[in-house]
Amino acid sequence: MTPERWSRVSPIFDAALEVAPQNREAFLAEACAGDEDVLLEVKRLLAEDERAEGFLDQPVIGPRAPTEGCNGSNSASQATKTTLAGKLIHGRFAIRARLGAGGMGEVLLAEDIKLKRCVALKRVAPKMRSDECYRERLLHEARRASAINNPHIAQVYDVLEEDDETFLLMEY
């Protein structure tokens, strides 16, 4: 999606989220003003939002951590400690902090030791790891997100599996 198209779709999508579901059709008809492509795109995003059920119930809001190194000295103000702090994932990604958590899982701030950059690692909550459905849902998210190149969507770099856990390696 081009930035111009996103600038048209995004505000309508955001506003539609605030409208009661039973009133959305009328709102969208007026907001899209006959632009069928925008209408279809907004409806697709609304359907995805309903299916997602909010992976992160507590999104990260606040300043970003430094882009070079993630040594914790200047990490994001919203980042919190995690029991995984200091652990290496795949021998290369050092966990620094937890960025956010929700009903389905959490997102961790990690340092890519090899490339010296911050990355985000998304993983399924411990209580759901044994359920293959949630693992498949995470992989489905990874496949769909990795097919998109948009400045408003975090890039998915890889899927890592270690110690019976699956991590999405993502742009931070």
Side-chain angles (χ1 to χ4, degrees), residues 116-150:
K116 305 290 185 217
R117 65 178 177 176
C118 293
V119 295
L121 292 173
K122 183 184 277 191
R123 72 179 189 156
V124 174
K127 64 184 177 192
M128 298 178 174
R129 283 188 204 129
S130 61
D131 189 335
E132 187 62 25
C133 176
Y134 289 103
R135 182 181 174 281
E136 281 302 315
R137 193 168 171 181
L138 188 70
L139 292 175
H140 180 73
E141 176 186 339
R143 284 185 211 104
R144 294 185 66 211
S146 68
I148 299 169
N149 187 2
N150 185 293

PDB file of all heavy atoms in Angstrom, residues 116-150:
ATOM      1  N   LYS A 116      24.341  -5.686  16.002  1.00  0.00           N
ATOM      2  CA  LYS A 116      24.361  -4.525  16.904  1.00  0.00           C
ATOM      3  C   LYS A 116      23.151  -3.617  16.678  1.00  0.00           C
ATOM      4  O   LYS A 116      23.279  -2.430  16.403  1.00  0.00           O
ATOM      5  CB  LYS A 116      25.646  -3.705  16.740  1.00  0.00           C
ATOM      6  CG  LYS A 116      26.909  -4.491  16.921  1.00  0.00           C
ATOM      7  CD  LYS A 116      27.089  -4.891  18.359  1.00  0.00           C
ATOM      8  CE  LYS A 116      28.439  -5.571  18.534  1.00  0.00           C
ATOM      9  NZ  LYS A 116      28.400  -6.643  19.463  1.00  0.00           N
ATOM     10  N   ARG A 117      21.959  -4.199  16.790  1.00  0.00           N
ATOM     11  CA  ARG A 117      20.734  -3.425  16.643  1.00  0.00           C
ATOM     12  C   ARG A 117      19.663  -3.972  17.575  1.00  0.00           C
ATOM     13  O   ARG A 117      19.728  -5.118  18.022  1.00  0.00           O
ATOM     14  CB  ARG A 117      20.214  -3.479  15.204  1.00  0.00           C
ATOM     15  CG  ARG A 117      19.789  -4.876  14.784  1.00  0.00           C
ATOM     16  CD  ARG A 117      19.224  -4.915  13.391  1.00  0.00           C
ATOM     17  NE  ARG A 117      18.911  -6.291  13.021  1.00  0.00           N
ATOM     18  CZ  ARG A 117      18.340  -6.637  11.899  1.00  0.00           C
ATOM     19  NH1 ARG A 117      18.024  -5.713  11.023  1.00  0.00           N
ATOM     20  NH2 ARG A 117      18.083  -7.895  11.631  1.00  0.00           N
ATOM     21  N   CYS A 118      18.666  -3.147  17.853  1.00  0.00           N
ATOM     22  CA  CYS A 118      17.527  -3.568  18.655  1.00  0.00           C
ATOM     23  C   CYS A 118      16.538  -4.296  17.760  1.00  0.00           C
ATOM     24  O   CYS A 118      16.333  -3.913  16.607  1.00  0.00           O
ATOM     25  CB  CYS A 118      16.825  -2.362  19.257  1.00  0.00           C
ATOM     26  SG  CYS A 118      17.786  -1.477  20.479  1.00  0.00           S
ATOM     27  N   VAL A 119      15.921  -5.323  18.293  1.00  0.00           N
ATOM     28  CA  VAL A 119      14.855  -6.050  17.619  1.00  0.00           C
ATOM     29  C   VAL A 119      13.756  -6.331  18.642  1.00  0.00           C
ATOM     30  O   VAL A 119      13.971  -6.218  19.846  1.00  0.00           O
ATOM     31  CB  VAL A 119      15.346  -7.381  16.991  1.00  0.00           C
ATOM     32  CG1 VAL A 119      16.336  -7.128  15.868  1.00  0.00           C
ATOM     33  CG2 VAL A 119      15.936  -8.306  18.032  1.00  0.00           C
ATOM     34  N   ALA A 120      12.605  -6.693  18.146  1.00  0.00           N
ATOM     35  CA  ALA A 120      11.508  -7.113  19.011  1.00  0.00           C
ATOM     36  C   ALA A 120      11.294  -8.605  18.793  1.00  0.00           C
ATOM     37  O   ALA A 120      11.393  -9.089  17.667  1.00  0.00           O
ATOM     38  CB  ALA A 120      10.241  -6.333  18.680  1.00  0.00           C
ATOM     39  N   LEU A 121      11.037  -9.313  19.864  1.00  0.00           N
ATOM     40  CA  LEU A 121      10.719 -10.740  19.802  1.00  0.00           C
ATOM     41  C   LEU A 121       9.315 -10.928  20.370  1.00  0.00           C
ATOM     42  O   LEU A 121       9.062 -10.585  21.522  1.00  0.00           O
ATOM     43  CB  LEU A 121      11.709 -11.573  20.617  1.00  0.00           C
ATOM     44  CG  LEU A 121      13.138 -11.650  20.094  1.00  0.00           C
ATOM     45  CD1 LEU A 121      14.026 -12.368  21.099  1.00  0.00           C
ATOM     46  CD2 LEU A 121      13.174 -12.380  18.772  1.00  0.00           C
ATOM     47  N   LYS A 122       8.417 -11.435  19.566  1.00  0.00           N
ATOM     48  CA  LYS A 122       7.050 -11.690  20.014  1.00  0.00           C
ATOM     49  C   LYS A 122       6.929 -13.185  20.285  1.00  0.00           C
ATOM     50  O   LYS A 122       7.398 -14.004  19.502  1.00  0.00           O
ATOM     51  CB  LYS A 122       6.061 -11.271  18.928  1.00  0.00           C
ATOM     52  CG  LYS A 122       4.603 -11.422  19.336  1.00  0.00           C
ATOM     53  CD  LYS A 122       3.674 -11.080  18.193  1.00  0.00           C
ATOM     54  CE  LYS A 122       3.455  -9.606  18.089  1.00  0.00           C
ATOM     55  NZ  LYS A 122       2.345  -9.277  17.154  1.00  0.00           N
ATOM     56  N   ARG A 123       6.302 -13.530  21.419  1.00  0.00           N
ATOM     57  CA  ARG A 123       6.109 -14.945  21.736  1.00  0.00           C
ATOM     58  C   ARG A 123       4.748 -15.168  22.361  1.00  0.00           C
ATOM     59  O   ARG A 123       4.157 -14.270  22.947  1.00  0.00           O
ATOM     60  CB  ARG A 123       7.205 -15.456  22.655  1.00  0.00           C
ATOM     61  CG  ARG A 123       7.114 -14.938  24.067  1.00  0.00           C
ATOM     62  CD  ARG A 123       8.225 -15.515  24.907  1.00  0.00           C
ATOM     63  NE  ARG A 123       8.019 -15.190  26.306  1.00  0.00           N
ATOM     64  CZ  ARG A 123       8.500 -15.876  27.294  1.00  0.00           C
ATOM     65  NH1 ARG A 123       9.251 -16.927  27.051  1.00  0.00           N
ATOM     66  NH2 ARG A 123       8.283 -15.529  28.530  1.00  0.00           N
ATOM     67  N   VAL A 124       4.268 -16.385  22.235  1.00  0.00           N
ATOM     68  CA  VAL A 124       2.971 -16.775  22.783  1.00  0.00           C
ATOM     69  C   VAL A 124       3.107 -16.921  24.297  1.00  0.00           C
ATOM     70  O   VAL A 124       4.147 -17.364  24.809  1.00  0.00           O
ATOM     71  CB  VAL A 124       2.497 -18.097  22.135  1.00  0.00           C
ATOM     72  CG1 VAL A 124       1.224 -18.601  22.780  1.00  0.00           C
ATOM     73  CG2 VAL A 124       2.283 -17.903  20.645  1.00  0.00           C
ATOM     74  N   ALA A 125       2.052 -16.563  25.016  1.00  0.00           N
ATOM     75  CA  ALA A 125       2.032 -16.680  26.479  1.00  0.00           C
ATOM     76  C   ALA A 125       2.280 -18.126  26.899  1.00  0.00           C
ATOM     77  O   ALA A 125       1.845 -19.060  26.226  1.00  0.00           O
ATOM     78  CB  ALA A 125       0.688 -16.205  27.023  1.00  0.00           C
ATOM     79  N   PRO A 126       2.963 -18.328  28.034  1.00  0.00           N
ATOM     80  CA  PRO A 126       3.272 -19.688  28.491  1.00  0.00           C
ATOM     81  C   PRO A 126       2.057 -20.597  28.605  1.00  0.00           C
ATOM     82  O   PRO A 126       2.113 -21.768  28.229  1.00  0.00           O
ATOM     83  CB  PRO A 126       3.897 -19.467  29.878  1.00  0.00           C
ATOM     84  CG  PRO A 126       4.466 -18.093  29.806  1.00  0.00           C
ATOM     85  CD  PRO A 126       3.546 -17.313  28.919  1.00  0.00           C
ATOM     86  N   LYS A 127       0.932 -20.070  29.050  1.00  0.00           N
ATOM     87  CA  LYS A 127      -0.266 -20.914  29.225  1.00  0.00           C
ATOM     88  C   LYS A 127      -0.844 -21.404  27.902  1.00  0.00           C
ATOM     89  O   LYS A 127      -1.632 -22.330  27.880  1.00  0.00           O
ATOM     90  CB  LYS A 127      -1.325 -20.155  30.015  1.00  0.00           C
ATOM     91  CG  LYS A 127      -1.851 -18.929  29.310  1.00  0.00           C
ATOM     92  CD  LYS A 127      -2.829 -18.160  30.162  1.00  0.00           C
ATOM     93  CE  LYS A 127      -3.257 -16.890  29.411  1.00  0.00           C
ATOM     94  NZ  LYS A 127      -3.956 -15.974  30.218  1.00  0.00           N
ATOM     95  N   MET A 128      -0.420 -20.778  26.783  1.00  0.00           N
ATOM     96  CA  MET A 128      -0.966 -21.147  25.473  1.00  0.00           C
ATOM     97  C   MET A 128       0.023 -21.894  24.590  1.00  0.00           C
ATOM     98  O   MET A 128      -0.324 -22.313  23.502  1.00  0.00           O
ATOM     99  CB  MET A 128      -1.442 -19.896  24.749  1.00  0.00           C
ATOM    100  CG  MET A 128      -2.541 -19.186  25.462  1.00  0.00           C
ATOM    101  SD  MET A 128      -2.980 -17.712  24.577  1.00  0.00           S
ATOM    102  CE  MET A 128      -4.381 -17.168  25.508  1.00  0.00           C
ATOM    103  N   ARG A 129       1.254 -22.058  25.037  1.00  0.00           N
ATOM    104  CA  ARG A 129       2.284 -22.681  24.194  1.00  0.00           C
ATOM    105  C   ARG A 129       1.984 -24.117  23.821  1.00  0.00           C
ATOM    106  O   ARG A 129       2.387 -24.580  22.766  1.00  0.00           O
ATOM    107  CB  ARG A 129       3.646 -22.605  24.899  1.00  0.00           C
ATOM    108  CG  ARG A 129       4.221 -21.238  24.788  1.00  0.00           C
ATOM    109  CD  ARG A 129       5.633 -21.167  25.287  1.00  0.00           C
ATOM    110  NE  ARG A 129       5.827 -19.771  25.643  1.00  0.00           N
ATOM    111  CZ  ARG A 129       6.291 -19.339  26.786  1.00  0.00           C
ATOM    112  NH1 ARG A 129       6.679 -20.191  27.700  1.00  0.00           N
ATOM    113  NH2 ARG A 129       6.406 -18.067  27.022  1.00  0.00           N
ATOM    114  N   SER A 130       1.282 -24.822  24.678  1.00  0.00           N
ATOM    115  CA  SER A 130       0.996 -26.229  24.384  1.00  0.00           C
ATOM    116  C   SER A 130      -0.153 -26.381  23.383  1.00  0.00           C
ATOM    117  O   SER A 130      -0.369 -27.462  22.859  1.00  0.00           O
ATOM    118  CB  SER A 130       0.670 -26.982  25.669  1.00  0.00           C
ATOM    119  OG  SER A 130      -0.472 -26.423  26.279  1.00  0.00           O
ATOM    120  N   ASP A 131      -0.870 -25.294  23.125  1.00  0.00           N
ATOM    121  CA  ASP A 131      -1.985 -25.333  22.179  1.00  0.00           C
ATOM    122  C   ASP A 131      -1.474 -25.018  20.779  1.00  0.00           C
ATOM    123  O   ASP A 131      -1.070 -23.897  20.487  1.00  0.00           O
ATOM    124  CB  ASP A 131      -3.052 -24.325  22.596  1.00  0.00           C
ATOM    125  CG  ASP A 131      -4.335 -24.460  21.787  1.00  0.00           C
ATOM    126  OD1 ASP A 131      -4.271 -24.956  20.644  1.00  0.00           O
ATOM    127  OD2 ASP A 131      -5.390 -24.063  22.305  1.00  0.00           O
ATOM    128  N   GLU A 132      -1.492 -26.007  19.905  1.00  0.00           N
ATOM    129  CA  GLU A 132      -0.979 -25.860  18.538  1.00  0.00           C
ATOM    130  C   GLU A 132      -1.710 -24.763  17.773  1.00  0.00           C
ATOM    131  O   GLU A 132      -1.142 -24.129  16.892  1.00  0.00           O
ATOM    132  CB  GLU A 132      -1.084 -27.196  17.801  1.00  0.00           C
ATOM    133  CG  GLU A 132      -0.442 -27.214  16.442  1.00  0.00           C
ATOM    134  CD  GLU A 132       1.067 -26.967  16.458  1.00  0.00           C
ATOM    135  OE1 GLU A 132       1.718 -27.239  17.476  1.00  0.00           O
ATOM    136  OE2 GLU A 132       1.584 -26.517  15.419  1.00  0.00           O
ATOM    137  N   CYS A 133      -2.950 -24.495  18.118  1.00  0.00           N
ATOM    138  CA  CYS A 133      -3.746 -23.454  17.456  1.00  0.00           C
ATOM    139  C   CYS A 133      -3.078 -22.086  17.598  1.00  0.00           C
ATOM    140  O   CYS A 133      -3.011 -21.316  16.639  1.00  0.00           O
ATOM    141  CB  CYS A 133      -5.148 -23.424  18.053  1.00  0.00           C
ATOM    142  SG  CYS A 133      -6.199 -22.110  17.419  1.00  0.00           S
ATOM    143  N   TYR A 134      -2.580 -21.779  18.779  1.00  0.00           N
ATOM    144  CA  TYR A 134      -1.962 -20.472  19.001  1.00  0.00           C
ATOM    145  C   TYR A 134      -0.613 -20.361  18.301  1.00  0.00           C
ATOM    146  O   TYR A 134      -0.251 -19.306  17.794  1.00  0.00           O
ATOM    147  CB  TYR A 134      -1.834 -20.180  20.500  1.00  0.00           C
ATOM    148  CG  TYR A 134      -3.177 -19.900  21.113  1.00  0.00           C
ATOM    149  CD1 TYR A 134      -3.829 -20.857  21.869  1.00  0.00           C
ATOM    150  CD2 TYR A 134      -3.817 -18.681  20.895  1.00  0.00           C
ATOM    151  CE1 TYR A 134      -5.084 -20.614  22.405  1.00  0.00           C
ATOM    152  CE2 TYR A 134      -5.064 -18.430  21.429  1.00  0.00           C
ATOM    153  CZ  TYR A 134      -5.693 -19.392  22.192  1.00  0.00           C
ATOM    154  OH  TYR A 134      -6.921 -19.149  22.702  1.00  0.00           O
ATOM    155  N   ARG A 135       0.118 -21.456  18.253  1.00  0.00           N
ATOM    156  CA  ARG A 135       1.388 -21.456  17.516  1.00  0.00           C
ATOM    157  C   ARG A 135       1.113 -21.213  16.034  1.00  0.00           C
ATOM    158  O   ARG A 135       1.787 -20.414  15.395  1.00  0.00           O
ATOM    159  CB  ARG A 135       2.125 -22.778  17.709  1.00  0.00           C
ATOM    160  CG  ARG A 135       3.461 -22.817  17.017  1.00  0.00           C
ATOM    161  CD  ARG A 135       4.158 -24.187  17.226  1.00  0.00           C
ATOM    162  NE  ARG A 135       5.348 -24.251  16.442  1.00  0.00           N
ATOM    163  CZ  ARG A 135       5.391 -24.512  15.131  1.00  0.00           C
ATOM    164  NH1 ARG A 135       4.283 -24.698  14.458  1.00  0.00           N
ATOM    165  NH2 ARG A 135       6.532 -24.561  14.483  1.00  0.00           N
ATOM    166  N   GLU A 136       0.123 -21.886  15.492  1.00  0.00           N
ATOM    167  CA  GLU A 136      -0.244 -21.694  14.086  1.00  0.00           C
ATOM    168  C   GLU A 136      -0.706 -20.269  13.825  1.00  0.00           C
ATOM    169  O   GLU A 136      -0.427 -19.700  12.780  1.00  0.00           O
ATOM    170  CB  GLU A 136      -1.324 -22.686  13.662  1.00  0.00           C
ATOM    171  CG  GLU A 136      -0.789 -24.057  13.368  1.00  0.00           C
ATOM    172  CD  GLU A 136       0.281 -24.068  12.276  1.00  0.00           C
ATOM    173  OE1 GLU A 136       0.100 -23.406  11.233  1.00  0.00           O
ATOM    174  OE2 GLU A 136       1.306 -24.733  12.479  1.00  0.00           O
ATOM    175  N   ARG A 137      -1.412 -19.702  14.769  1.00  0.00           N
ATOM    176  CA  ARG A 137      -1.878 -18.321  14.623  1.00  0.00           C
ATOM    177  C   ARG A 137      -0.695 -17.348  14.559  1.00  0.00           C
ATOM    178  O   ARG A 137      -0.689 -16.419  13.763  1.00  0.00           O
ATOM    179  CB  ARG A 137      -2.779 -17.980  15.810  1.00  0.00           C
ATOM    180  CG  ARG A 137      -3.562 -16.747  15.650  1.00  0.00           C
ATOM    181  CD  ARG A 137      -4.596 -16.691  16.745  1.00  0.00           C
ATOM    182  NE  ARG A 137      -5.230 -15.401  16.744  1.00  0.00           N
ATOM    183  CZ  ARG A 137      -6.154 -15.049  17.587  1.00  0.00           C
ATOM    184  NH1 ARG A 137      -6.565 -15.881  18.499  1.00  0.00           N
ATOM    185  NH2 ARG A 137      -6.686 -13.859  17.524  1.00  0.00           N
ATOM    186  N   LEU A 138       0.319 -17.588  15.383  1.00  0.00           N
ATOM    187  CA  LEU A 138       1.519 -16.766  15.365  1.00  0.00           C
ATOM    188  C   LEU A 138       2.249 -16.915  14.032  1.00  0.00           C
ATOM    189  O   LEU A 138       2.691 -15.925  13.439  1.00  0.00           O
ATOM    190  CB  LEU A 138       2.437 -17.154  16.532  1.00  0.00           C
ATOM    191  CG  LEU A 138       3.650 -16.267  16.763  1.00  0.00           C
ATOM    192  CD1 LEU A 138       3.223 -14.910  17.293  1.00  0.00           C
ATOM    193  CD2 LEU A 138       4.597 -16.921  17.756  1.00  0.00           C
ATOM    194  N   LEU A 139       2.355 -18.141  13.535  1.00  0.00           N
ATOM    195  CA  LEU A 139       3.005 -18.372  12.241  1.00  0.00           C
ATOM    196  C   LEU A 139       2.216 -17.746  11.104  1.00  0.00           C
ATOM    197  O   LEU A 139       2.796 -17.188  10.171  1.00  0.00           O
ATOM    198  CB  LEU A 139       3.193 -19.872  12.003  1.00  0.00           C
ATOM    199  CG  LEU A 139       4.198 -20.560  12.924  1.00  0.00           C
ATOM    200  CD1 LEU A 139       4.198 -22.063  12.679  1.00  0.00           C
ATOM    201  CD2 LEU A 139       5.584 -19.984  12.738  1.00  0.00           C
ATOM    202  N   HIS A 140       0.908 -17.802  11.191  1.00  0.00           N
ATOM    203  CA  HIS A 140       0.058 -17.171  10.183  1.00  0.00           C
ATOM    204  C   HIS A 140       0.292 -15.655  10.184  1.00  0.00           C
ATOM    205  O   HIS A 140       0.421 -15.027   9.124  1.00  0.00           O
ATOM    206  CB  HIS A 140      -1.409 -17.496  10.462  1.00  0.00           C
ATOM    207  CG  HIS A 140      -2.368 -16.897   9.496  1.00  0.00           C
ATOM    208  ND1 HIS A 140      -2.506 -17.361   8.209  1.00  0.00           N
ATOM    209  CD2 HIS A 140      -3.226 -15.859   9.621  1.00  0.00           C
ATOM    210  CE1 HIS A 140      -3.414 -16.634   7.588  1.00  0.00           C
ATOM    211  NE2 HIS A 140      -3.868 -15.715   8.424  1.00  0.00           N
ATOM    212  N   GLU A 141       0.358 -15.068  11.364  1.00  0.00           N
ATOM    213  CA  GLU A 141       0.649 -13.634  11.485  1.00  0.00           C
ATOM    214  C   GLU A 141       1.996 -13.317  10.860  1.00  0.00           C
ATOM    215  O   GLU A 141       2.147 -12.329  10.129  1.00  0.00           O
ATOM    216  CB  GLU A 141       0.650 -13.219  12.957  1.00  0.00           C
ATOM    217  CG  GLU A 141       1.051 -11.769  13.166  1.00  0.00           C
ATOM    218  CD  GLU A 141       1.184 -11.398  14.634  1.00  0.00           C
ATOM    219  OE1 GLU A 141       0.616 -12.092  15.502  1.00  0.00           O
ATOM    220  OE2 GLU A 141       1.861 -10.401  14.899  1.00  0.00           O
ATOM    221  N   ALA A 142       2.986 -14.145  11.121  1.00  0.00           N
ATOM    222  CA  ALA A 142       4.328 -13.925  10.578  1.00  0.00           C
ATOM    223  C   ALA A 142       4.327 -13.965   9.058  1.00  0.00           C
ATOM    224  O   ALA A 142       4.929 -13.110   8.398  1.00  0.00           O
ATOM    225  CB  ALA A 142       5.302 -14.965  11.127  1.00  0.00           C
ATOM    226  N   ARG A 143       3.644 -14.947   8.490  1.00  0.00           N
ATOM    227  CA  ARG A 143       3.576 -15.060   7.023  1.00  0.00           C
ATOM    228  C   ARG A 143       2.910 -13.843   6.402  1.00  0.00           C
ATOM    229  O   ARG A 143       3.393 -13.298   5.417  1.00  0.00           O
ATOM    230  CB  ARG A 143       2.806 -16.323   6.628  1.00  0.00           C
ATOM    231  CG  ARG A 143       3.595 -17.586   6.804  1.00  0.00           C
ATOM    232  CD  ARG A 143       2.819 -18.798   6.273  1.00  0.00           C
ATOM    233  NE  ARG A 143       3.198 -19.950   7.048  1.00  0.00           N
ATOM    234  CZ  ARG A 143       2.456 -20.519   7.999  1.00  0.00           C
ATOM    235  NH1 ARG A 143       1.257 -20.084   8.264  1.00  0.00           N
ATOM    236  NH2 ARG A 143       2.899 -21.562   8.659  1.00  0.00           N
ATOM    237  N   ARG A 144       1.819 -13.429   6.982  1.00  0.00           N
ATOM    238  CA  ARG A 144       1.086 -12.290   6.420  1.00  0.00           C
ATOM    239  C   ARG A 144       1.865 -11.000   6.592  1.00  0.00           C
ATOM    240  O   ARG A 144       1.957 -10.203   5.658  1.00  0.00           O
ATOM    241  CB  ARG A 144      -0.282 -12.190   7.083  1.00  0.00           C
ATOM    242  CG  ARG A 144      -1.111 -13.426   6.700  1.00  0.00           C
ATOM    243  CD  ARG A 144      -2.497 -13.398   7.185  1.00  0.00           C
ATOM    244  NE  ARG A 144      -3.203 -12.319   6.525  1.00  0.00           N
ATOM    245  CZ  ARG A 144      -4.184 -11.648   7.098  1.00  0.00           C
ATOM    246  NH1 ARG A 144      -4.565 -11.959   8.306  1.00  0.00           N
ATOM    247  NH2 ARG A 144      -4.795 -10.684   6.457  1.00  0.00           N
ATOM    248  N   ALA A 145       2.439 -10.767   7.759  1.00  0.00           N
ATOM    249  CA  ALA A 145       3.176  -9.527   7.992  1.00  0.00           C
ATOM    250  C   ALA A 145       4.461  -9.472   7.171  1.00  0.00           C
ATOM    251  O   ALA A 145       4.867  -8.400   6.713  1.00  0.00           O
ATOM    252  CB  ALA A 145       3.485  -9.367   9.475  1.00  0.00           C
ATOM    253  N   SER A 146       5.105 -10.615   6.957  1.00  0.00           N
ATOM    254  CA  SER A 146       6.366 -10.614   6.203  1.00  0.00           C
ATOM    255  C   SER A 146       6.141 -10.331   4.725  1.00  0.00           C
ATOM    256  O   SER A 146       7.064  -9.953   4.014  1.00  0.00           O
ATOM    257  CB  SER A 146       7.108 -11.941   6.372  1.00  0.00           C
ATOM    258  OG  SER A 146       6.397 -12.983   5.746  1.00  0.00           O
ATOM    259  N   ALA A 147       4.910 -10.473   4.267  1.00  0.00           N
ATOM    260  CA  ALA A 147       4.597 -10.198   2.868  1.00  0.00           C
ATOM    261  C   ALA A 147       4.321  -8.712   2.618  1.00  0.00           C
ATOM    262  O   ALA A 147       4.164  -8.292   1.489  1.00  0.00           O
ATOM    263  CB  ALA A 147       3.380 -11.015   2.436  1.00  0.00           C
ATOM    264  N   ILE A 148       4.290  -7.933   3.695  1.00  0.00           N
ATOM    265  CA  ILE A 148       3.968  -6.512   3.586  1.00  0.00           C
ATOM    266  C   ILE A 148       5.223  -5.686   3.820  1.00  0.00           C
ATOM    267  O   ILE A 148       6.007  -5.964   4.715  1.00  0.00           O
ATOM    268  CB  ILE A 148       2.904  -6.119   4.641  1.00  0.00           C
ATOM    269  CG1 ILE A 148       1.627  -6.913   4.415  1.00  0.00           C
ATOM    270  CG2 ILE A 148       2.636  -4.625   4.615  1.00  0.00           C
ATOM    271  CD1 ILE A 148       0.633  -6.783   5.538  1.00  0.00           C
ATOM    272  N   ASN A 149       5.400  -4.669   2.997  1.00  0.00           N
ATOM    273  CA  ASN A 149       6.488  -3.716   3.202  1.00  0.00           C
ATOM    274  C   ASN A 149       5.852  -2.343   3.292  1.00  0.00           C
ATOM    275  O   ASN A 149       5.506  -1.741   2.278  1.00  0.00           O
ATOM    276  CB  ASN A 149       7.491  -3.784   2.057  1.00  0.00           C
ATOM    277  CG  ASN A 149       8.711  -2.939   2.317  1.00  0.00           C
ATOM    278  OD1 ASN A 149       8.841  -2.318   3.375  1.00  0.00           O
ATOM    279  ND2 ASN A 149       9.613  -2.904   1.356  1.00  0.00           N
ATOM    280  N   ASN A 150       5.645  -1.877   4.519  1.00  0.00           N
ATOM    281  CA  ASN A 150       4.961  -0.617   4.762  1.00  0.00           C
ATOM    282  C   ASN A 150       5.612   0.062   5.957  1.00  0.00           C
ATOM    283  O   ASN A 150       5.880  -0.600   6.961  1.00  0.00           O
ATOM    284  CB  ASN A 150       3.477  -0.889   5.038  1.00  0.00           C
ATOM    285  CG  ASN A 150       2.665   0.370   5.184  1.00  0.00           C
ATOM    286  OD1 ASN A 150       2.842   1.130   6.128  1.00  0.00           O
ATOM    287  ND2 ASN A 150       1.766   0.590   4.248  1.00  0.00           N
TER     288      ASN A 150
END
